[in-house]
Amino acid sequence: MNPKSRNLRNIGIIAHVDAGKTTTTERILFYAGESHRIGDVSQGTARMDFEPQEQKRGITISSAAITVHWNAAQINLIDTPGHIDFNIEVNRSLRVLDGAVVVFDGVAGVEPQTETNWRLADRYRVPRIAFVNKLDRLGADFLRVVAMMEERLGVRAVPVQLPIGAEGDFRGVIDLIGMRALVWDKDDASQPYRVADVPAGMLASAQSHRARLVELVVEQDEAAMVAYLYGEEPSADVLRDCLRKGVLAGAFVPVLAGSAYRNRDVEPLLDAIVDWLPRPGEVAMASDPRASFAALAFKVSSDDHGAMVFVRVYSGRLKRGDTMLNAATGRIERAARLYEVHADDRIERDELVAGDIAAIVGLKDTLTGHTLCDRNHPVHLETISVPEPVIHVAIEPKAQADQQALSKALQAMLREDPSLQLRQDAESGQTILSGMGELQLDVSIEKLRAKYGVEVSVGRPQVACRETISREAEVHHVHRKQTGGPGQFAELKLRLAPRARGEGIAFESQVVGGVIPREFIPAVEAGIRRAAQSGVIAGFPCVDFVATLVDGSHHERDSSAMAFELAAAAAFREAAAKAGPQVLEPVMAVEVITPADYLGDCIGDLNRRRGMVRGQTVRGNAAVIEAHVPLKEMFGYIGNLRALSSGRAQYTMQFDHYAVAPASEMATLVKS
């Protein structure tokens, strides 16, 4: 079967937190007949937020998949979290999706996490349509959000609808393609919209926006363009076809207007998903069921029955009981069960084919980003990048008898969430859990207690700093050890030099003439990289430098790879100490939204936190402050912000960059 004939769509719903993403998804499920009642996020009844912590907190924590049908098309839909701490869920979902719906808050517009998600979609070349939500809210402005999209995201945003009414009077949209009004007389989801004429007072505005729409989209089809230049008005069908071509090519983004909570414009949104977002293989790699099997694992979920691995099948077929190669590990895996996933429900399948997003049970060693493929035709698909954590806590079981249970639970959690990291502190022996933010670590600790039944003691959150060097340094080091048996000897000259921020670690060898045998050179690099993991100031990883092996010597009998690795580690520590070591602290991009009355107090508070205000704008009836603030200074910020603003201000933040900590803060950071 040709996947294009299946009329399949693999799409995701992405947004900034509180933009109404899950509310939109719940309405999609209802209108598509997947749910018989509409779930409510605030009441903890949203079908896609089925985990206990999601229901308790009222936010999406894990991505959830479900399958619906609309207009003879099958839609595999993934609902993703909006909070920055759980951005790995958005990252790995976008990697396997063919299209996305980006939900915008009609009041707030383009928010920080929206920008982050948009860049991720750019990286994976995912076509998008936009849905401006909450247009029934006070201060909502559809065209302002469209302008923000163009300014902040650098995209051609093309309205295909205009809202009828504003704020509490929002009751429908003008369909600019068909030049008709779609009106919802009641909030009742069971009542269909009615089609009416464009309101007379909006006709001129609608005609103007339609003219711009036509001019942009006919560029995607030569015949349509020629006809338009000769004065022929394109039909609605021609415009829809041109829109689809433009979306697939990434030329522009169609923008729809609605209010999911009030059940307005969800059906046209579903139409847009089917009409304009791609089928498998149209914009990504070819999707051919006749080719050899290849799939990418993008998520692992564990329960009492074992691990369930979510995969996107890119080519070939997989039947229940088949074996396959894990190209990342070189091991053979067996698919014991295949499932089509419907949130927290499963439907067993006998076979998966190219284009499917589904789950496999029975895989032992498969993790996020691993490629599964035909044993006789190995391939490696592009993997999934994982950000470095910026915060950590020390954890230990309250009862020593729970140590094994804690270890087992942590390993299961790390398999599920690759943005978590675990290490043992060499000096204290403590178990250190690292993640992307306080909320992620809070959720992880709560999961240890609630899901795995392990009570733990938790230390204060600490900033995950880095170290680097500020100048060049060169050292000569000799490693010599003789204890009666075989000796150890390695001599080398090592030079360290700083690199630009974010360039990472590089290694070069200038050794010639065999003074150090070629087989020992990798050991030198390994020793440097190992030593760099614990730095020279406070035990933080050392980054952004180039290490050059300048010269050295060896002994015919006593030299070994181990000797050179030990010598390189010692030489690195000696050179780094001479190279002006510095501590780098994570700096967050912070956006504060506050009533204008509290603007000065909020700016003053950010300044006291070593923040650098980068700009101020007006968004509706609120002031928006953009600033860079060290993460260390943001612990407990929400309580202080609420006190300053009588509970009316809010903020978001996400990691932006590492910066050299000032001398006044160095001692504190090192101590912590």
Side-chain angles (χ1 to χ4, degrees):
M1 180 190 298
N2 187 326
K4 293 186 180 182
S5 69
R6 297 172 62 202
N7 206 14
L8 177 64
R9 306 291 185 277
N10 291 317
I11 69 137
I13 310 292
I14 59 177
H16 187 90
V17 66
D18 291 332
K21 169 185 52 56
T22 299
T23 299
T24 303
T25 304
E26 293 294 320
R27 267 60 180 181
I28 287 175
L29 301 188
F30 178 82
Y31 283 104
E34 178 66 23
S35 297
H36 300 296
R37 66 175 181 86
I38 298 176
D40 191 302
V41 175
S42 62
Q43 297 177 11
T45 59
R47 184 173 177 189
M48 301 299 280
D49 289 347
F50 54 84
E51 293 186 358
Q53 289 198 62
E54 294 178 318
Q55 296 171 351
K56 176 183 175 181
R57 296 172 182 268
I59 60 170
T60 303
I61 293 172
S62 300
S63 57
I66 200 162
T67 298
V68 301
H69 294 84
W70 185 259
N71 289 353
Q74 176 182 323
I75 303 172
N76 293 331
L77 186 153
I78 296 180
D79 181 34
T80 64
H83 198 286
I84 183 62
D85 284 18
F86 310 106
N87 194 240
I88 182 63
E89 298 286 342
V90 184
N91 189 346
R92 59 186 175 184
S93 297
L94 284 172
R95 169 62 184 84
V96 300
L97 293 171
D98 298 312
V101 176
V102 185
V103 180
F104 295 83
D105 185 315
V107 180
V110 180
E111 298 175 272
Q113 188 59 19
T114 314
E115 292 189 60
T116 300
N117 292 339
W118 195 272
R119 305 305 175 207
L120 280 173
D122 284 342
R123 179 194 302 174
Y124 295 124
R125 301 176 294 281
V126 177
R128 281 141 278 177
I129 58 177
F131 179 64
V132 180
N133 191 30
K134 299 187 177 184
L135 289 177
D136 60 316
R137 299 277 298 276
L138 183 67
D141 188 330
F142 175 75
L143 293 179
R144 177 172 57 83
V145 177
V146 172
M148 288 179 72
M149 289 177 62
E150 295 197 327
E151 178 186 350
R152 290 197 174 190
L153 304 177
V155 66
R156 267 183 161 180
V158 183
V160 294
Q161 297 174 341
L162 292 178
I164 300 174
E167 300 176 343
D169 190 43
F170 172 67
R171 60 190 182 277
V173 298
I174 297 171
D175 170 19
L176 295 176
I177 297 174
M179 283 300 284
R180 56 181 188 161
L182 312 178
V183 181
W184 286 261
D185 295 312
K186 299 180 179 179
D187 293 346
D188 187 353
S190 64
Q191 298 296 313
Y193 62 80
R194 63 181 173 88
V195 179
D197 293 333
V198 176
M202 296 188 67
L203 185 59
S205 176
Q207 289 172 336
S208 174
H209 280 90
R210 189 180 192 276
R212 179 177 180 265
L213 167 69
V214 172
E215 288 178 3
L216 284 175
V217 303
V218 295
E219 295 177 358
Q220 303 302 312
D221 186 275
E222 187 175 351
M225 182 69 174
V226 170
Y228 177 70
L229 292 175
Y230 278 96
E232 184 178 328
E233 187 68 14
S235 66
D237 288 341
V238 168
L239 287 179
R240 291 189 188 95
D241 184 59
C242 290
L243 270 162
R244 188 169 203 278
K245 290 179 179 178
V247 172
L248 300 194
F252 46 70
V253 175
V255 189
L256 291 82
S259 170
Y261 184 75
R262 294 180 65 185
N263 307 304
R264 293 177 183 179
D265 211 42
V266 181
E267 306 107 301
L269 175 61
L270 277 162
D271 291 338
I273 290 170
V274 175
D275 289 346
W276 300 328
L277 291 180
R279 301 179 180 92
E282 284 191 299
V283 294
M285 64 177 289
S287 188
D288 187 356
R290 296 165 298 184
S292 300
F293 174 74
L296 185 72
F298 69 94
K299 180 179 173 71
V300 180
S301 177
S302 302
D303 57 26
D304 296 337
H305 305 289
M308 184 165 61
V309 179
F310 289 76
V311 300
R312 161 69 189 267
V313 182
Y314 284 97
S315 62
R317 300 173 179 270
L318 181 71
K319 295 182 178 180
R320 182 175 56 199
D322 281 354
T323 59
M324 69 208 104
L325 173 68
N326 183 325
T329 65
R331 297 179 179 176
I332 302 299
E333 296 270 33
R334 179 178 178 273
R337 296 281 191 276
L338 308 175
Y339 291 103
E340 182 180 294
V341 179
H342 291 250
D344 56 342
D345 295 327
R346 313 174 189 175
I347 299 175
E348 192 161 1
R349 295 267 298 269
D350 293 324
E351 183 183 50
L352 304 181
V353 301
D356 279 337
I357 290 179
I360 305 175
V361 171
L363 308 183
K364 304 296 185 184
D365 301 299
T366 299
L367 302 175
T368 296
H370 286 184
T371 298
L372 300 169
C373 57
D374 188 300
R375 299 169 63 176
N376 299 315
H377 298 88
V379 295
H380 287 271
L381 300 175
E382 180 187 356
T383 189
I384 297 168
S385 60
V386 180
E388 286 291 316
V390 296
I391 190 171
H392 64 259
V393 293
I395 58 173
E396 61 182 22
K398 288 188 175 181
Q400 193 59 37
D402 286 339
Q403 184 62 57
Q404 187 173 354
L406 173 61
S407 179
K408 185 178 179 181
L410 286 171
Q411 290 305 317
M413 289 169 55
L414 262 61
R415 189 179 183 190
E416 290 185 0
D417 186 352
S419 68
L420 291 173
Q421 290 187 12
L422 197 66
R423 65 179 176 87
Q424 293 294 129
D425 186 87
E427 293 185 5
S428 66
Q430 291 179 308
T431 299
I432 307 297
L433 181 66
S434 304
M436 300 309 300
E438 289 182 273
L439 179 58
Q440 184 193 26
L441 293 182
D442 284 347
V443 167
S444 300
I445 299 302
E446 191 173 319
K447 184 180 286 188
L448 283 173
R449 294 165 175 159
K451 182 176 180 178
Y452 297 100
V454 181
E455 288 294 328
V456 293
S457 299
V458 184
R460 283 181 59 250
Q462 304 289 330
V463 175
C465 295
R466 299 287 184 269
E467 296 181 20
T468 193
I469 59 174
S470 59
R471 60 177 181 266
E472 188 174 302
E474 188 172 295
V475 298
H476 172 247
H477 184 83
V478 180
H479 173 76
R480 185 183 286 110
K481 186 177 181 182
Q482 190 71 47
T483 57
Q488 293 184 7
F489 177 86
E491 180 182 12
L492 52 84
K493 185 181 289 185
L494 183 69
R495 182 169 63 243
L496 298 184
R499 303 182 79 192
R501 197 73 62 241
E503 289 190 353
I505 300 173
F507 173 77
E508 300 174 356
S509 175
Q510 296 179 353
V511 171
V512 295
V515 293
I516 299 177
R518 184 180 301 172
E519 62 266 27
F520 295 153
I521 302 298
V524 174
E525 181 177 3
I528 293 168
R529 292 185 179 274
R530 177 171 59 82
Q533 286 301 304
S534 53
V536 294
I537 302 177
F540 301 121
C542 189
V543 298
D544 301 336
F545 65 88
V546 56
T548 304
L549 179 60
V550 179
D551 200 0
S553 69
H554 74 289
H555 190 278
E556 289 293 338
R557 184 180 69 252
D558 292 342
S559 290
S560 63
M562 179 180 290
F564 273 97
E565 184 172 340
L566 292 171
F572 167 81
R573 289 189 286 269
E574 185 180 343
K578 295 180 178 180
Q582 298 173 322
V583 173
L584 301 173
E585 58 179 340
V587 176
M588 313 303 285
V590 179
E591 183 180 88
V592 179
I593 303 173
T594 177
D597 293 347
Y598 306 103
L599 177 62
D601 290 338
C602 290
I603 290 176
D605 185 58
L606 290 171
N607 289 335
R608 285 189 291 273
R609 296 172 184 270
R610 297 192 286 128
M612 179 179 293
V613 175
R614 300 170 58 239
Q616 301 174 44
T617 56
V618 176
R619 189 179 297 170
N621 56 0
V624 181
I625 308 165
E626 296 179 4
H628 281 158
V629 189
L631 175 59
K632 175 179 177 289
E633 306 295 341
M634 294 300 293
F635 290 154
Y637 179 63
I638 185 60
N640 203 57
L641 182 64
R642 286 169 177 166
L644 283 174
S645 65
S646 301
R648 297 175 64 189
Q650 57 182 308
Y651 84 104
T652 59
M653 72 174 183
Q654 56 188 334
F655 172 76
D656 192 83
H657 65 279
Y658 279 97
V660 176
S664 59
E665 294 294 323
M666 189 83 71
T668 306
L669 287 165
V670 170
K671 186 177 179 181
S672 66

